[in-house]
Amino acid sequence: MIESTDPLLRVRNLRTSFDTDRGVVSAVDGISFDIKPGEVYGVVGESGSGKSVTALSIMGLIDSPGVVEADAIEFRGEDISGYSDAEMRDIRGGNISMVFQDPMNSLNPVMTVGEQIAEVVRHHTPVGESAGFWRELSRKYVTGTDKESDSWQRAVELLDTVGIPDPKERATEYPHQLSGGMRQRVVIAQALAGDPDLIIADEPTTALDVSVEAQILNELLELADEFDVSVLLITHDLAVIRETCDRVAVMYAGELMETSNVQELFNNPQHPYTRGLLQSIPRITDDREWLDVIEGNVPDLINKPEGCPFQQRCNYSFDMCDKPLERHRVSDDHIARCHLHSPEVDTAAHDFDTEATGDRSITSGDSGIIADGNGGDDL
Ligand code: SF4
């Protein structure tokens, strides 16, 4: 449920690149978006589109030789893009937490799951228990957390909240003693332990069995609602987006191609790439013998084509497509970066059906092109 229009997270012109022997890889190439309080915001795209790098860049987790630049990464109105490592450590796990694809990468194999959650509670909430280096070291290797302490009690409570049976007992177990689904529940409990405002969930169920995938995802979103936490959900799966998100950004080759509220995107996709993704989804009512796939591959991010990065795979590509892309407002909450939406282009002449297109008169300026840096607009 969206509660406020002021962004919780405001990202402007985020660029992340990696200097390699072959040249500079532009993994994220000038993207902008807002996440509002209480919102579930989805980022969808093929592998290699830059979704995960976007999340890691926001969290300050890109290591050298990666370089992260941005005009702004504002969290609750404060620009965190220039924060030191220590300041970002305070943000991570507290204000913003992450749920990664593989829980084994997030959990420490030699600490009980209760210890790991209790540690986050001590570091990021006012329980009044010492979280100094030596005290934590002693807990980790000698004493363990006092089972009567508030941090331990909170850890057990959180395990219960995320649906782990017999949480008191489970809190004393190690990650390898739990199933994959339970481990991911532990990671969700850990993500909630710092009382965050935003959870970034990067393909949180991809590594799990199909049987528990939907269950865990639903639980994550129900808990986010209950705890009043926004979610940035990264996935390659448009069906997951449709079921879970309020708004969505479609990402391709490090750029955002289309953003919209979810219903509008599914009813009225206005970017050829989005349409291609939607056509590749199997449907129960399908009478197609073969699924439509988008032919070709994501371009080399070292030598991206001038203009639209999708042009080599696009059935509608035309002579304007090697010119820099601009953002075109399709409707109030729907923006597409595609030259077919340029006011001077006759879409019918390109066989591009825009019949379901929203009211183009709701545009910023006569041209329908949104000026760069216009606050509050994605892409
Ligand atoms: Fe296709 Fe051109 Fe639009 Fe890119 S800008 S999606 S190449 S029509």
Side-chain angles (χ1 to χ4, degrees):
M1 185 176 55
I2 302 170
E3 294 164 355
S4 158
T5 51
D6 288 338
L8 176 70
L9 181 74
R10 180 174 176 270
V11 176
R12 286 294 172 273
N13 197 17
L14 175 66
R15 297 154 338 259
T16 305
S17 56
F18 298 88
D19 204 353
T20 70
D21 293 343
R22 285 185 52 232
V24 176
V25 177
S26 294
V28 177
D29 197 0
I31 69 169
S32 302
F33 61 94
D34 292 342
I35 299 179
K36 298 178 189 121
E39 182 171 59
V40 180
Y41 191 92
V43 178
V44 68
E46 293 166 276
S47 314
S49 59
K51 309 182 298 291
S52 297
V53 177
T54 298
L56 296 172
S57 304
I58 292 168
M59 295 294 273
L61 289 171
I62 297 288
D63 289 329
S64 179
V67 176
V68 180
E69 296 165 293
D71 292 353
I73 302 174
E74 286 174 11
F75 181 69
R76 290 197 303 208
E78 192 165 331
D79 194 350
I80 61 171
S81 60
Y83 269 24
S84 65
D85 286 348
E87 287 170 319
M88 280 312 293
R89 267 197 300 277
D90 271 349
I91 293 268
R92 286 195 294 269
N95 306 83
I96 309 177
S97 50
M98 264 194 99
V99 175
F100 291 99
Q101 186 178 130
D102 184 353
M104 280 313 257
N105 286 341
S106 325
L107 295 171
N108 184 336
V110 297
M111 279 174 82
T112 65
V113 295
E115 286 292 344
Q116 299 187 53
I117 299 169
E119 189 177 8
V120 177
V121 173
R122 283 192 294 274
H123 277 267
H124 295 286
T125 66
V127 285
E129 295 166 31
S130 167
F133 176 77
W134 294 110
R135 187 73 190 85
E136 287 296 2
L137 202 66
S138 158
R139 280 193 191 100
K140 197 178 279 185
Y141 296 109
V142 187
T143 63
T145 295
D146 175 3
K147 302 292 182 285
E148 299 303 317
S149 66
D150 287 348
S151 60
W152 185 266
Q153 298 296 326
R154 180 71 181 137
V156 172
E157 192 182 300
L158 281 165
L159 288 174
D160 188 33
T161 303
V162 298
I164 293 198
D166 198 4
K168 240 181 184 171
E169 185 60 33
R170 292 294 188 180
T172 64
E173 294 182 349
Y174 292 88
H176 74 268
Q177 294 176 277
L178 306 177
S179 68
M182 279 214 213
R183 282 198 287 265
Q184 197 59 305
R185 283 194 168 94
V186 169
V187 172
I188 293 169
Q190 196 179 29
L192 291 169
D195 201 11
D197 296 309
L198 174 67
I199 291 179
I200 299 181
D202 186 0
E203 305 270 10
T205 55
T206 306
L208 302 176
D209 289 347
V210 180
S211 55
V212 289
E213 195 178 342
Q215 205 183 355
I216 299 263
L217 196 59
N218 286 336
E219 278 170 16
L220 170 66
L221 295 168
E222 276 170 25
L223 287 165
D225 195 32
E226 187 184 325
F227 283 65
D228 200 17
V229 182
S230 301
V231 177
L232 170 57
L233 179 66
I234 290 169
T235 178
H236 62 278
D237 190 340
L238 268 168
V240 166
I241 295 280
R242 180 166 46 191
E243 295 302 315
T244 59
C245 295
D246 298 306
R247 282 195 302 141
V248 55
V250 179
M251 195 161 186
Y252 183 77
E255 301 181 33
L256 297 190
M257 297 282 105
E258 185 165 14
T259 64
S260 170
N261 71 68
V262 166
Q263 198 180 353
E264 166 83 2
L265 190 94
F266 281 88
N267 291 343
N268 185 25
Q270 286 297 322
H271 196 285
Y273 178 58
T274 311
R275 289 188 182 185
L277 286 180
L278 287 168
Q279 277 158 7
S280 64
I281 298 178
R283 296 181 184 84
I284 292 172
T285 52
D286 247 337
D287 54 7
R288 290 176 294 178
E289 217 162 295
W290 300 94
L291 290 177
D292 301 307
V293 295
I294 305 172
E295 301 285 345
N297 298 307
V298 177
D300 182 354
L301 297 180
I302 293 176
N303 295 304
K304 277 202 330 189
E306 295 285 318
C308 177
F310 188 55
Q311 60 189 281
Q312 284 151 351
R313 304 170 75 186
C314 180
N315 294 334
Y316 300 95
S317 178
F318 64 112
D319 56 4
M320 243 180 113
C321 297
D322 59 0
K323 304 284 182 299
L325 288 175
E326 284 162 333
R327 298 177 291 165
H328 299 281
R329 193 180 286 284
V330 177
S331 67
D332 206 21
D333 190 22
H334 188 174
I335 299 170
R337 286 176 75 230
C338 169
H339 288 304
L340 286 168
H341 291 279
S342 299
E344 65 268 32
V345 171
D346 175 7
T347 47
H350 293 275
D351 269 343
F352 188 76
D353 177 11
T354 58
E355 208 151 86
T357 306
D359 184 355
R360 277 181 145 204
S361 65
I362 314 170
T363 54
S364 173
D366 292 340
S367 67
I369 297 168
I370 300 155
D372 273 334
N374 186 356
D377 289 313
D378 295 348
L379 293 172

